[in-house]
Amino acid sequence: MAVTLDPKVPPGPIDEKWENHKFSVRLVNPNNKRRFDIIVVGTGLAGASAAATLGGLGYNVKAFTFHDSPRRAHSISAQGGINAAKNYHGDGDSVHRLFYDTVKGGDYRSREANVYRLAEVANNIIDQCTAQGVPFAREYGGLLDNRSFGGAQVSRTFYARGQTGQQLLLGAYQALAEQIGKGTCTLYNRTELVDIVNVDGRAAGIVVRDLLTGEIRSHSAHAVVLATGGYSNVFFLSTNAMACNVTAIWRAHRRGALFANPAYTQIHPTCIPSSDEFQSKLTLMSESLRNDGRIWVPERAGDDRSPDQIPESERDYFLERKYPAFGNLVPRDVASRNAKAMIDAGKGVGPLHNGVYLDFTSSIERLGEQTVRERYGNLFDMYARITGEDPYRVPMRIYPAPHYTMGGLWVDYNLETTVPGLYAIGEANFSDHGANRLGASALMQGLADGYFVLPYTIGDGLAPLLGTKPVDTGHEAFARAEQEARDRYAGYLAIGGTRSVDWFHRELGKIMWDHCGMERSRPGLEKAISEIPALYAEFKADLKVLGDDRSLNQSLERAGRVDDFFQLGLLMCEDALQREESCGGHFRVEHQTEEGEAQRDDDEFAFVGAWEHTGEMRSAVLHKEPLVFENVKLTQRSYK
């Protein structure tokens, strides 16, 4: 395919681009919207808000989720809060400051125009969700309350105790349920996308598999929207729900959509450390805890005393020591690398010496236990249930773990991929976070895309199609894609090997974590690039999947997802290898300052790396979108 990377950024001053663009895009008459069919895959915050809004505008929407209900979406795990520059408390926040902090937090590897629009529409999200009844915390005077998050020196994070994502998702879900009740939106649950169908160079629909019956069938539409989240489960152990996967956007990539910045993966600093090597899931503690918790390790390596026996003079509050201006609220990549350095130096705490302390003693003394309970009670309860330790009495133990993925499908300013008619929103695209996402910005982006961006921009692509009908699912392109899907699943069952899907996934995850995780190096990446194809060949020769394809078969589901993870993992390593710099969550040990901070190379790598699939492993073609910074000066990040 001929590939052109046109970001379609509108001209003019950055604070006027979005308003001017909304005026210049083509519109669809309200009476004509019902003549268009739109598919939305994924019903988390981005997908549910998009489906609800598009349905409310009058489009015919088909929404797909592999869950039994949209309320199961992984968005509920974003507990800490959502950013917006309301500046209710007059502490110096503004749209421009939120824009600047986001670009800086992403280590200057994001598209300015998209980030400014995100900051601009964020205030609308708070109004929208408050009107929906989301129970944001309020201060004594009645205003919505804020708290601080990493990478900012103002309080701009709105929250609902430690369950913000859940409450926001319920708001989006009720908006979606309203449209389902009105008949503008049809919900398909327990249904997984297994392929994208293109006809004449344009997205025409999707092929799905019913997870209960195994039936393969097709759906067509004028446009397809992917809102299927991120891919950090490529590491096997991550903070993501175990069902999270890359299949939807990877299948789109195989059908022509460029995959941007796959190596940009985030390591979250406040995960509960793993307890043994057989663990299959890591649990995230909200970053909001870093507001009032202090992170420390013993000064002396190998100090196994209980924390209450270690006096203040023998504790190293290493983030406060190294970054006095931001302290424990440095961005996630900085906090994670420093925690790893402490553990590598032999100062890890806990039974496996694989954690650092997050201590609330001083906050409880200063604020009172009741205030801490009001802010974080459900998080403390969750930690106590998992570890058997009371965080009101004993410091929490935390350690970095794979979390969010900043890479995803390349999209332009309209959120359209390189395949016309195919859109990607939320974590499924690459557009807003650069090389590192700031905390509380995931919910912001998902709802911005779904409520306030895509509903405007999708009309620009649909307007020229007025009077046309979606491609009939009897078209040969659909029949061919369906047969390829059936053959793929039958192939997994036919292997008849000796090893389970989870065994291969765990082995792949070890390679990825060791060589493409928190630290990367040329020798390590080259080793991973040699090991992954060998393990993948073993997967295709020795996989064992029991059961059949005509009923619920979760091993068969996972086989398809892990197959895609193998291919993605190799591309992630290729992307990390070519990027000879450190930036945000991409940390190459060869490229760091004397103080151990990420060292960018703006002359050579100030670009978005968008990869084209060519059909063979290790043959992907790299395309570059230059990043132009007109409003933010490129500087070495400093949080000191």
Side-chain angles (χ1 to χ4, degrees):
M1 60 178 288
V3 175
T4 56
L5 286 181
D6 179 7
K8 297 181 182 176
V9 173
I14 195 165
D15 58 349
E16 299 177 8
K17 289 182 186 293
W18 179 229
E19 286 300 318
N20 292 340
H21 189 65
K22 286 191 291 184
F23 181 76
S24 65
V25 295
R26 292 166 289 192
L27 299 177
V28 177
N29 181 300
N31 288 325
N32 287 332
K33 287 185 170 70
R34 62 177 179 267
R35 301 183 183 183
F36 289 102
D37 294 347
I38 300 175
I39 287 172
V40 178
V41 185
T43 55
L45 279 177
S49 60
T53 307
L54 294 169
L57 289 171
Y59 292 108
N60 299 311
V61 179
K62 295 180 179 180
F64 294 82
T65 176
F66 61 42
H67 297 291
D68 55 354
S69 166
R71 290 174 295 177
R72 299 281 190 182
H74 190 58
S75 299
I76 66 170
S77 295
Q79 306 147 321
I82 178 171
N83 287 331
K86 284 288 193 181
N87 195 34
Y88 283 151
H89 307 289
D91 65 349
D93 205 5
S94 65
V95 168
H96 190 84
R97 187 177 294 277
L98 174 54
F99 156 70
Y100 171 80
D101 287 345
T102 305
V103 173
K104 176 185 176 183
D107 219 351
Y108 307 94
R109 289 295 178 260
S110 51
R111 190 189 291 151
E112 276 194 343
N114 286 67
V115 178
Y116 194 91
R117 177 177 63 187
L118 174 65
E120 194 175 1
V121 304
N123 288 344
N124 297 336
I125 299 171
I126 304 304
D127 297 337
Q128 168 99 356
C129 295
T130 302
Q132 287 176 338
V134 172
F136 287 120
R138 294 179 182 268
E139 62 167 21
Y140 181 78
L143 287 176
L144 299 185
D145 199 9
N146 290 134
R147 56 190 178 199
S148 302
F149 255 62
Q153 290 182 299
V154 295
S155 293
R156 64 162 64 104
T157 302
F158 295 79
Y159 65 98
R161 295 189 70 190
Q163 45 187 244
T164 314
Q166 179 178 351
Q167 297 300 330
L168 291 172
L169 183 61
L170 289 173
Y173 172 69
Q174 71 182 18
L176 173 60
E178 178 187 13
Q179 297 308 317
I180 294 171
K182 289 181 175 179
T184 65
C185 183
T186 303
L187 177 67
Y188 298 84
N189 62 356
R190 303 299 291 155
T191 304
E192 182 173 29
L193 181 147
V194 295
D195 215 341
I196 301 289
V197 178
N198 299 332
V199 175
D200 297 329
R202 182 180 179 85
I206 62 176
V207 174
V208 299
R209 180 174 181 270
D210 187 309
L211 296 181
L212 299 180
T213 67
E215 179 186 0
I216 301 288
R217 57 179 180 270
S218 296
H219 296 267
S220 64
H222 293 94
V224 176
V225 180
L226 300 183
T228 52
Y231 50 86
S232 70
N233 271 355
V234 69
F235 294 100
F236 186 73
L237 282 177
S238 83
T239 67
N240 280 200
M242 292 178 66
C244 292
N245 62 85
V246 74
T247 289
I249 58 175
W250 188 256
R251 291 287 139 186
H253 172 58
R254 290 176 60 94
R255 294 296 185 184
L258 267 59
F259 205 117
N261 299 337
Y264 287 169
T265 55
Q266 183 173 78
I267 310 300
H268 197 295
T270 57
C271 178
I272 298 177
S274 59
S275 56
D276 62 57
E277 63 177 301
F278 300 106
Q279 196 166 325
S280 58
K281 172 74 176 70
L282 296 176
T283 302
L284 173 69
M285 300 307 297
S286 169
E287 179 172 336
S288 62
L289 295 170
R290 288 202 279 149
N291 276 286
D292 292 310
R294 301 180 69 192
I295 297 173
W296 63 275
V297 292
E299 282 275 9
R300 177 170 55 83
D303 190 338
D304 285 332
R305 289 178 293 173
S306 62
D308 62 304
Q309 298 298 312
I310 302 176
E312 284 286 320
S313 60
E314 298 179 31
R315 299 180 179 186
D316 182 5
Y317 294 90
F318 54 92
L319 293 180
E320 299 173 29
R321 170 173 55 83
K322 293 183 66 176
Y323 309 98
F326 283 75
N328 296 296
L329 292 176
V330 293
R332 291 172 175 178
D333 61 314
V334 177
S336 294
R337 283 199 299 275
N338 278 272
K340 181 179 185 298
M342 293 296 107
I343 292 171
D344 289 347
K347 298 182 180 181
V349 301
L352 300 182
H353 301 95
N354 61 344
V356 298
Y357 286 128
L358 179 61
D359 193 341
F360 286 84
T361 302
S362 61
S363 293
I364 291 173
E365 292 174 350
R366 174 171 50 89
L367 301 171
E369 184 173 318
Q370 182 58 34
T371 298
V372 173
R373 285 185 183 276
E374 290 172 357
R375 293 180 179 179
Y376 312 113
N378 64 311
L379 299 173
F380 277 41
D381 291 345
M382 180 172 68
Y383 181 88
R385 286 195 300 270
I386 292 171
T387 65
E389 300 171 1
D390 181 0
Y392 294 101
R393 308 287 175 260
V394 180
M396 289 183 177
R397 290 177 290 109
I398 58 172
Y399 185 66
H403 180 54
Y404 192 89
T405 51
M406 287 73 67
L409 294 183
W410 184 92
V411 293
D412 60 20
Y413 194 71
N414 287 335
L415 304 182
E416 189 172 27
T417 71
T418 49
V419 176
L422 179 64
Y423 297 80
I425 61 176
E427 195 177 356
N429 73 35
F430 87 100
S431 64
D432 293 350
H433 306 297
N436 175 61
R437 177 178 68 81
L438 291 183
S441 288
L443 301 180
M444 178 173 65
Q445 186 208 351
L447 291 179
D449 287 356
Y451 280 138
F452 298 109
V453 179
L454 183 73
Y456 283 101
T457 63
I458 200 169
D460 191 54
L462 292 174
L465 303 178
L466 183 63
T468 67
K469 293 184 177 180
V471 177
D472 191 278
T473 55
H475 190 283
E476 63 177 358
F478 282 97
R480 185 167 55 249
E482 285 186 17
Q483 191 57 50
E484 289 175 3
R486 293 188 186 96
D487 292 344
R488 187 163 73 249
Y489 286 105
Y492 300 138
L493 291 166
I495 294 173
T498 64
R499 297 197 182 275
S500 69
V501 178
D502 285 350
W503 185 89
F504 284 105
H505 193 181
R506 189 185 298 275
E507 293 301 307
L508 172 64
K510 289 177 181 177
I511 296 172
M512 294 300 298
W513 178 247
D514 288 344
H515 303 304
C516 198
M518 205 181 319
E519 287 187 352
R520 292 111 183 240
S521 68
R522 172 168 287 276
L525 290 167
E526 289 176 341
K527 183 177 182 182
I529 289 170
S530 69
E531 290 180 349
I532 291 173
L535 184 63
Y536 188 37
E538 188 178 350
F539 170 84
K540 291 187 288 187
D542 198 31
L543 175 67
K544 182 176 184 178
V545 178
L546 299 176
D548 57 43
D549 60 356
R550 297 180 300 280
S551 61
L552 177 65
N553 189 337
Q554 293 183 324
S555 292
L556 186 58
E557 294 171 31
R558 292 198 297 271
R561 297 167 188 170
V562 173
D563 192 336
D564 293 332
F565 276 141
F566 269 108
Q567 300 169 55
L568 166 71
L570 190 62
L571 185 63
M572 288 171 62
C573 294
E574 295 276 8
D575 188 45
L577 184 62
Q578 65 84 25
R579 189 167 284 278
E580 289 281 358
E581 65 166 354
S582 292
C583 54
H586 167 68
F587 192 79
R588 286 283 299 270
V589 297
E590 303 95 334
H591 305 288
Q592 55 184 303
T593 66
E594 292 181 359
E595 296 177 324
E597 306 293 348
Q599 180 66 62
R600 298 193 322 271
D601 182 348
D602 295 328
D603 292 335
E604 297 294 329
F605 294 98
F607 63 78
V608 177
W611 293 86
E612 176 189 358
H613 179 73
T614 62
E616 299 292 334
M617 295 183 77
R618 295 219 63 190
S619 65
V621 176
L622 177 63
H623 302 269
K624 300 177 181 179
E625 177 200 339
L627 291 170
V628 179
F629 295 91
E630 300 174 339
N631 300 275
V632 176
K633 182 181 178 181
L634 286 165
T635 60
Q636 175 68 32
R637 278 193 313 171
S638 175
Y639 292 95
K640 298 187 175 182

